Amino acid sequence: MSGKSTATDATRRLAAIDLGSNSFHLLVANYQDSQLQVVAKMGEKVQLAAGLDDQENFTDTAMERALACLERFAPFVAGVSAADLRIVGTNALRSARNAHALIDRAEALIGHPIEIIGGREEARLIYLGAAHALAEVHGRRLIVDIGGGSTEFIIGEDFEPQALESLHMGCVAYTGAFFANGELSEKRFRRAEMAALSELANIQRQYCRLGWQDPIGSSGTIKAVAAVIGARGDGDATLIERDALMKLRKRLIGFGQLDKVAMEGLKEDRARVFPAGVAILCAVFEAFDLQRMRYSDGALREGVLFDLIGRNTPEDSRRHSVELLMRRYSVEASHADHVMETAMVAFDQVRESWALGEEQRLFLIWAAQLHEIGLAISHSQFHRHGAYLIEYSDLTGFSRPEQQALAFLVRAHRRKFAHKELEALPCAIQPAYCRLARLLRLAVMLNHPRPEQAPVDFQLACKGDDLHLSLPEISFQALLLNDLEQEAEYQKAAGLTLTYDV
């Protein structure tokens, strides 16, 4: 990724926290002159996935472990601006039914929103981190990242991923599924491998067809495998040979019990989940017929930092996702541009009074561009169809809460105000997104006749949440008057006030 900084730019402090299913990681770095300099780097085994009960809820003990870890991380990010800090949650937080309970407490503790990211978005960020760590290496790469609850597989070249997948298998999850009683045996090990091979069958043909020159592994399990192999003298600490991996597999089975696993190069807090991680890695080698794999330091937390650098710039991957959606669903670009232009005029007139920032501006732009994508399904209730497409598509660069917020704006742009969907958003952003929805509604209404040029000659004033719209006399037509009357009624029913000059 190319940077936008010059030698005269001030140093920018960035921070990322990765709430993984096995470990939590913190990375703080200074960014200047297109370079990252690490300031602080920490990791703790929280084993969040191991704290899920039979109902897929986090236990109180697991939540306390997570909060205690974040309390230790908090001082390192205390001085980082909100725009330069990102906290992301992965598989365990995606899976837990009571994830919101932990997230609410964690956000209150650390004073920053936590975003749950989808599996493919996790894979994209992992690739971004690994690709920067391997910037000097050219050719197509296969990146494998074995986590606690999921394993990500990415094929890419330079900084562009070409295939992204996240499979439901991880060292913590497989420990519970195949080694829960602590027994290590050939039969149990092979059962874990076969389960992983079954998951891999879903991507095996596609990935082998794409091909790669350089298989790379990242994160804890693969780092530990390389370290153990290196400590025994079967290779160095950055390379895993197939023969050495098979010897390691045999050694692990020889321990007979998880609580007896102890090896030079293996940290004590990883020992219990290590065999399951090795079983998954053995299956990866088998499915893709690998003979060797290199270990790379770059992973999710590094990817989050590089993604932060590109946010709110032309390189923002979210912009590309919006453009892709517009093409996929054949959005009428000229009308979308008119709505966007009108929305921006409205936004700029109230942004100071309503304390709206640049991020909200971007989401209003994207909502304006996408408000009609539901027409590709049906004209009836197209605002609902559009919201569904946005919320449940794989949108590169967007976290799940961001997709939910964008989907709300599209859902709320017409007809009755979408109170239920608004209340489903995180409480902290509800007031701002309610206001954004009102601006979008006005922009859509003013462009209802689909004029050749966007209506921008109007004045919008606010007093608290009360809005007043002033239009030039030439603008008043029967259709517009009818729309204004109806919109004022919709907003009144939602407990909001819209007045206008006639």
Side-chain angles (χ1 to χ4, degrees), residues 94-209:
R94 290 195 292 265
S95 303
R97 295 174 61 185
N98 66 338
H100 63 89
L102 174 56
I103 288 172
D104 289 347
R105 294 175 66 187
E107 288 180 342
L109 186 154
I110 210 158
H112 190 83
I114 293 172
E115 306 171 58
I116 300 176
I117 55 175
R120 287 184 177 170
E121 176 63 5
E122 181 181 356
R124 184 188 72 86
L125 292 171
I126 288 168
Y127 181 79
L128 194 58
H132 276 86
L134 300 163
E136 79 290 350
V137 181
H138 300 286
R140 190 173 290 173
R141 313 169 180 125
L142 167 68
I143 308 288
V144 180
D145 188 296
I146 300 172
S150 64
T151 299
E152 281 63 52
F153 297 85
I154 313 98
I155 291 178
E157 193 164 355
D158 294 327
F159 299 114
E160 293 299 323
Q162 297 167 6
L164 298 163
E165 290 293 345
S166 178
L167 301 184
H168 293 288
M169 54 188 195
C171 61
V172 177
Y174 268 37
T175 298
F178 301 103
F179 306 104
N181 66 353
E183 179 188 343
L184 274 175
S185 65
E186 172 65 35
K187 181 179 179 180
R188 289 184 177 275
F189 214 95
R190 190 56 184 165
R191 282 179 61 197
E193 289 172 333
M194 290 302 296
L197 285 167
S198 178
E199 289 287 330
L200 284 159
N202 296 314
I203 67 170
Q204 185 176 11
R205 183 176 298 177
Q206 174 199 358
Y207 273 52
C208 288
R209 187 185 300 121

Side-chain angles (χ1 to χ4, degrees), residues 4 45 62 79 139 152 154 184 186 189 195 233 261 290 296 301 315 340 363 373 380 391 402 405 454 484 487 495:
K4 296 297 178 185
K45 297 288 183 299
E152 281 63 52
I154 313 98
L184 274 175
E186 172 65 35
F189 214 95
V261 173
L290 302 181
S296 168
R301 55 195 174 275
E315 296 174 1
M340 179 184 70
F363 273 76
I373 66 168
S380 175
E391 186 164 359
E402 286 178 330
L484 276 168
E487 180 59 23

